Amino acid sequence: MALSNKNSFSRRDFLKTSALAGGGMIIGFNIFNACKSDVRLPVDLSQLNYKDFNAYIKISTEGKVTIYSVNPEIGQGVKTSMPMIIAEELDVAWEDVYVVQAPLDTENYSNQTAGGSQSIRRSWQPLRETGATAKQMLVNAAAATWGVDANTCSAKKGVISNANGDTLGYGDVVDAAAVLDVPKDVTLKDPKEFTIIGKGKSNVDIDKIITGKPLFGLDYKEEGMVYASVLRPPAFGQLLESYDASKAKALPGVMDVITIGEKARAMLSNGKPNWSVKLSTTDKVVVIGKTTWDVIKGKKALSATWKTETSLESSDDHDKKLLNLVNGKKFRTRRKDGDVKKAFADADKVIERVYTSTFLPHNTMEPMNFFANVTSDKVHLVGPTQTPEAAEEGVAAMLGRSKDDIHVDLTRMGGGFGRRLYNDYVMEAVEISDAIKKPVKMISTREDDMTTGVYRPAAKYKIAASIKDGKLTGYHLKEACINGNMYGLIPNFFPAGAIENYQVDSARLRSNITVGAWRAPYTNFLATAEQSFFDELAEELGIDRVKLHMDLLENVKKNPDPNIEYSPDRLQGVLKTVIKKSNWGNTPEDVYQGLSVYYCHNTHVAEVADVVMENGVPIVKKVTCAIDCGIVVNPLGAMNQARGGVLDGIGHAMYADFGFKDGRPLANNFNGYQLIRMAQTPKVEVHFIESDIAPTGLGEPTLPPVGAAVANAIYKATGRRLTKLPYMNNMDVDEKILG
């Protein structure tokens, strides 16, 4: 996803000086060392006297380094991996680095977002240049001190040496270096020289996380802050008509009950909000109180009447309308190669199948929340958002203020998965603070998040393929989706370029239900549909599943297409690796394997699922995953991301069911919505392809392929082709059509 209007990077932009705030304290303690009288206590890096070097780096006289992590941290690990990139080229010991979350700073930073698995990919080169440039300036300062040529000097682990054996630490020359001209050209390390990148590093926040230190949006507090909980319509399509707050106001701890919505409506009517604003036009009732418990109890005591503005929609109706759309003729053609219509007319056989997915909530561990303090001088915002610059722009538009008046501090997020790309909850907090003239923390409950949120859209994919003389001659993909369609790059993913007659069409069903990006947007289900279809197609053709993919990828190499987004060689590479590592075709008789190979978010992934049947129920026992994501910056974090994506994909493909009746969500908490349980999690074995290519995405790419790998394994075990999610609720659904 393109989440910023800044498309180019300048090293000079990255190296502007900036006085940024320091961070908290991490204390280490070792019971064995504590008994030794001569052991020195660990240095508290947060308390050293650091001096500004540039917008990313501060250096203390002791040679320790503070590195600012720019992008929002949603659990994808960038607060660790991005500073690792700077530290590598700066050539400082990792144990001497202290990491601080940077606030939103549009003057010094670009692409300060978290979305589309693009953080590392977009920042790889600029971050390397930032570290290398700082290192060169420090070396130049030392050379000037010694009166020698800087080319005769070198630096390693924060120490600069010359040919005579003299040494100076970074801290010794930081003042002199900071005022030097920024070099125009610097030499970056050969990946073979890396000592930090490629080595597993623990999450820089891990001590605070496991000891419950304040890190997340819900942890943030300020003196004089009050709390707010928002009552929103119980059904999509409704507006507030009236309310009675007498019982709520009578509760201890409830300070006031107000309504908001006027400023949101004015902004929406003026057409000013950016894409990240997902606000309705209704008034909302807000309970103001002293604690979270006070406002939650107060909201439950409210009595409200809602009127219907637009139709109250239901999933059963959506399903029928989507099926009509996907079977209809009104489409937008997104890619067309050859003549699919002729290929189908000339075919010996046409195979066609419809695949169906449901709406899904995001279910972040930390529900939506945000702090806002609107004053005449400034607007101070603190909390978890994946798009802080978009939040700043939205708030400025709503309040009619300059963006210079707005300051955004970022907290760690308890999950995002795309939900926090949308800043409706930020806007609510701001409108509340503006109304009550106090600093306020807007907090949501799990029920709020699940019933009044932003959802993955329900969708259907209709895929058809033509066979002539035992050969695949045509492929036609049709998408029908609620309030959105696949973004522009997806039609150029596999199998684009592999089949002579190939067409991708899409159609949209309008709805009043709010939808948006959900981990690996569109590909999260499209990969399931396409890779399940290819498994069936291989069976119809009488071709080995692996050979079918290999042959199609050879077609791409024989007929290069500049528009395709993937590398056929890299897809073949992960396919070969997963076949070898999964022991494909050589498992015990009671273990059934399914294969899936997919490209998205600039990364190539192949997965094999091992399924067994226990009491007639399919159980996923193991998933083997091969990934080509270029250079792996932090293998420990990368492994966690890969495994998390696989498990998330399995859980939602197998169990997650969500829908609407009369505009109301059918589940409001985990007692009615099943996520994968600990006992249902398989072993996930991950293999990264060694590479010297720049890193690509990893937060999302392992999720899309796994649904098909599991479905294909279940087919081998049961003979049933699964076409509708979630599998455990739809084992008998069959939407196959043979022509």
Side-chain angles (χ1 to χ4, degrees):
M1 273 176 266
L3 301 180
S4 172
N5 58 5
K6 296 185 178 180
N7 297 317
S8 60
F9 298 98
S10 161
R11 187 187 315 120
R12 197 169 295 273
D13 288 340
F14 271 62
L15 294 169
K16 293 177 183 176
T17 57
S18 173
L20 301 175
M25 181 183 298
I26 299 175
I27 300 176
F29 181 77
N30 186 309
I31 193 169
F32 300 106
N33 289 343
C35 301
K36 302 176 183 177
S37 59
D38 59 343
V39 171
R40 297 172 62 186
L41 292 174
V43 175
D44 181 359
L45 298 181
S46 70
Q47 298 301 308
L48 298 179
N49 182 25
Y50 290 97
K51 301 181 179 182
D52 292 336
F53 196 84
N54 59 46
Y56 282 82
I57 300 168
K58 289 174 180 258
I59 300 175
S60 74
T61 54
E62 297 88 350
K64 310 300 182 182
V65 178
T66 287
I67 297 178
Y68 289 96
S69 183
V70 174
N71 286 42
E73 175 58 70
I74 55 176
Q76 82 281 43
V78 293
K79 192 175 177 183
T80 303
S81 55
M82 293 180 83
M84 285 174 66
I85 298 169
I86 294 177
E88 179 67 73
E89 294 290 353
L90 180 60
D91 231 321
V92 62
W94 182 246
E95 56 268 24
D96 291 339
V97 172
Y98 179 64
V99 176
V100 175
Q101 176 69 59
L104 175 67
D105 184 349
T106 56
E107 292 297 317
N108 288 298
Y109 308 130
S110 297
N111 293 304
Q112 205 171 352
T113 60
S117 298
Q118 297 297 299
S119 295
I120 294 296
R121 177 174 175 264
R122 291 184 175 184
S123 299
W124 170 249
Q125 189 72 10
L127 291 178
R128 293 184 71 190
E129 291 179 355
T130 295
T133 301
K135 173 184 172 182
Q136 187 61 57
M137 293 169 70
L138 291 160
V139 169
N140 291 348
T145 300
W146 291 320
V148 301
D149 187 342
N151 291 325
T152 66
C153 303
S154 61
K156 187 175 183 180
K157 290 192 174 182
V159 177
I160 306 161
S161 305
N162 64 23
N164 299 322
D166 301 320
T167 61
L168 284 171
Y170 284 178
D172 299 324
V173 295
V174 61
D175 288 330
V179 297
L180 296 178
D181 290 337
V182 177
K184 293 183 179 179
D185 296 300
V186 292
T187 301
L188 302 180
K189 287 184 177 181
D190 186 299
K192 296 184 180 65
E193 301 173 331
F194 289 162
T195 59
I196 295 175
I197 293 173
K199 306 296 188 294
K201 304 299 180 185
S202 297
N203 185 323
V204 295
D205 284 335
I206 192 64
D207 288 345
K208 292 181 180 179
I209 291 171
I210 63 177
T211 56
K213 298 296 189 299
L215 276 173
F216 300 91
L218 282 173
D219 298 326
Y220 186 79
K221 295 180 178 65
E222 275 196 12
E223 188 71 28
M225 181 186 85
V226 297
Y227 290 85
S229 185
V230 181
L231 180 66
R232 306 174 184 90
F236 287 86
Q238 291 184 327
L239 298 176
L240 180 67
E241 186 171 60
S242 62
Y243 72 97
D244 181 354
S246 56
K247 291 182 180 179
K249 288 182 176 180
L251 293 173
V254 172
M255 302 167 65
D256 200 0
V257 177
I258 66 170
T259 60
I260 60 169
E262 183 178 348
K263 288 187 180 295
R265 277 193 301 279
M267 178 180 60
L268 292 169
S269 65
N270 291 333
K272 290 184 178 180
N274 58 49
W275 64 271
S276 80
V277 175
K278 295 276 188 178
L279 288 169
S280 67
T281 59
T282 184
D283 280 335
K284 302 167 187 176
V285 188
V286 184
V287 178
I288 311 297
K290 297 178 180 179
T291 68
T292 52
W293 187 232
D294 291 334
V295 296
I296 289 172
K297 287 193 299 181
K299 186 168 70 174
K300 289 181 178 179
L302 291 172
S303 175
T305 302
W306 307 92
K307 61 182 178 181
T308 299
E309 179 195 31
T310 57
S311 61
L312 302 180
E313 301 176 13
S314 297
S315 290
D316 288 344
D317 292 331
H318 291 151
D319 192 68
K320 293 172 185 175
K321 291 177 181 178
L322 287 171
L323 188 59
N324 288 337
L325 267 182
V326 83
N327 283 329
K329 296 181 179 180
K330 294 182 179 180
F331 291 96
R332 173 185 172 188
T333 297
R334 294 176 174 267
R335 176 165 173 145
K336 185 177 182 180
D337 301 340
D339 191 337
V340 166
K341 187 175 181 180
K342 185 177 186 303
F344 281 30
D346 295 342
D348 298 327
K349 192 175 192 179
V350 173
I351 302 172
E352 189 173 83
R353 196 179 277 276
V354 176
Y355 298 85
T356 301
S357 68
T358 64
F359 286 96
L360 287 181
H362 291 81
N363 294 319
T364 60
M365 184 64 70
E366 177 193 22
M368 299 307 107
N369 67 91
F370 222 80
F371 169 87
N373 188 13
V374 180
T375 68
S376 58
D377 295 328
K378 70 172 184 176
V379 180
H380 186 207
L381 306 176
V382 186
T385 172
Q386 292 178 241
T387 53
E389 187 173 357
E392 177 190 69
E393 292 171 354
V395 169
M398 185 169 73
L399 297 180
R401 303 277 290 262
S402 166
K403 289 195 294 183
D404 294 338
D405 293 344
I406 300 166
H407 180 81
V408 184
D409 283 317
L410 304 178
T411 63
R412 192 177 182 94
M413 287 174 251
F417 311 119
R419 173 61 181 95
R420 287 185 163 104
L421 294 171
Y422 308 104
N423 291 304
D424 51 296
Y425 58 100
V426 180
M427 311 298 286
E428 288 177 343
V430 168
E431 192 169 3
I432 295 166
S433 177
D434 188 53
I436 66 175
K437 308 303 180 187
K438 287 184 172 70
V440 64
K441 168 75 71 65
M442 192 288 295
I443 56 100
S444 294
T445 63
R446 175 68 57 206
E447 289 81 3
D448 293 332
D449 265 3
M450 196 173 285
T451 59
T452 62
V454 179
Y455 306 93
R456 181 185 83 170
K460 284 185 184 287
Y461 289 101
K462 184 177 183 179
I463 310 177
S466 58
I467 298 171
K468 177 71 173 177
D469 298 328
K471 302 288 186 182
L472 176 61
T473 59
Y475 187 92
H476 196 177
L477 168 67
K478 296 180 180 179
E479 175 191 66
C481 189
I482 292 180
N483 284 348
N485 290 113
M486 65 177 80
Y487 53 88
L489 299 180
I490 293 177
N492 297 317
F493 293 177
F494 181 83
I499 303 168
E500 183 179 359
N501 302 295
Y502 172 82
Q503 186 167 328
V504 179
D505 294 329
S506 65
R508 180 177 301 183
L509 176 64
R510 300 290 179 180
S511 169
N512 56 26
I513 296 173
T514 309
V515 304
W518 188 97
R519 194 175 190 174
Y522 301 103
T523 60
N524 55 54
F525 179 60
L526 176 57
T528 297
E530 287 200 303
Q531 286 297 298
S532 297
F533 186 75
F534 269 101
D535 194 79
E536 183 171 359
L537 191 55
E539 186 178 49
E540 290 284 348
L541 289 166
I543 300 174
D544 175 77
R545 175 76 163 82
V546 177
K547 179 174 171 38
L548 175 59
H549 261 82
M550 287 294 188
D551 288 349
L552 289 172
L553 291 168
E554 285 298 323
N555 290 345
V556 183
K557 291 194 284 186
K558 291 174 185 175
N559 303 286
D561 182 345
N563 293 317
I564 66 166
E565 291 290 325
Y566 62 94
S567 162
D569 288 315
R570 295 174 78 176
L571 268 185
Q572 286 181 329
V574 293
L575 186 53
K576 291 175 182 176
T577 298
V578 83
I579 292 304
K580 179 181 178 181
K581 298 296 185 180
S582 67
N583 201 26
W584 175 260
N586 294 297
T587 56
E589 288 185 2
D590 62 342
V591 176
Y592 304 92
Q593 292 187 307
L595 172 67
S596 180
V597 56
Y598 202 70
Y599 163 91
C600 69
H601 298 87
N602 312 104
T603 292
H604 304 75
V605 179
E607 296 176 358
V608 169
D610 291 4
V611 167
V612 300
M613 299 298 293
E614 295 182 3
N615 300 317
V617 177
I619 305 295
V620 184
K621 300 297 287 186
K622 179 183 176 183
V623 174
T624 307
C625 184
I627 306 169
D628 186 342
C629 59
I631 293 170
V632 179
V633 176
N634 182 6
L636 181 60
M639 189 72 71
N640 291 336
Q641 285 298 296
R643 287 175 173 159
V646 169
L647 296 178
D648 200 12
I650 293 172
H652 285 92
M654 292 286 283
Y655 310 111
D657 203 358
F658 193 82
F660 294 84
K661 185 174 178 59
D662 297 329
R664 293 174 179 252
L666 294 174
N668 66 7
N669 211 318
F670 296 137
N671 61 329
Y673 178 88
Q674 185 177 348
L675 291 172
I676 192 169
R677 310 296 197 230
M678 289 294 291
Q680 295 163 333
T681 58
K683 176 182 179 182
V684 181
E685 185 180 288
V686 179
H687 303 274
F688 292 104
I689 305 297
E690 289 191 18
S691 176
D692 59 2
I693 300 172
T696 54
L698 196 53
E700 293 164 283
T702 63
L703 186 150
V706 76
V710 171
N712 295 336
I714 292 175
Y715 169 70
K716 286 186 179 179
T718 66
R720 295 175 180 174
R721 289 286 181 190
L722 302 178
T723 61
K724 187 173 183 178
L725 300 184
Y727 297 150
M728 296 306 294
N729 292 359
N730 297 285
M731 290 289 288
D732 296 321
V733 173
D734 188 350
E735 295 187 274
K736 180 178 179 181
I737 306 169
L738 290 179

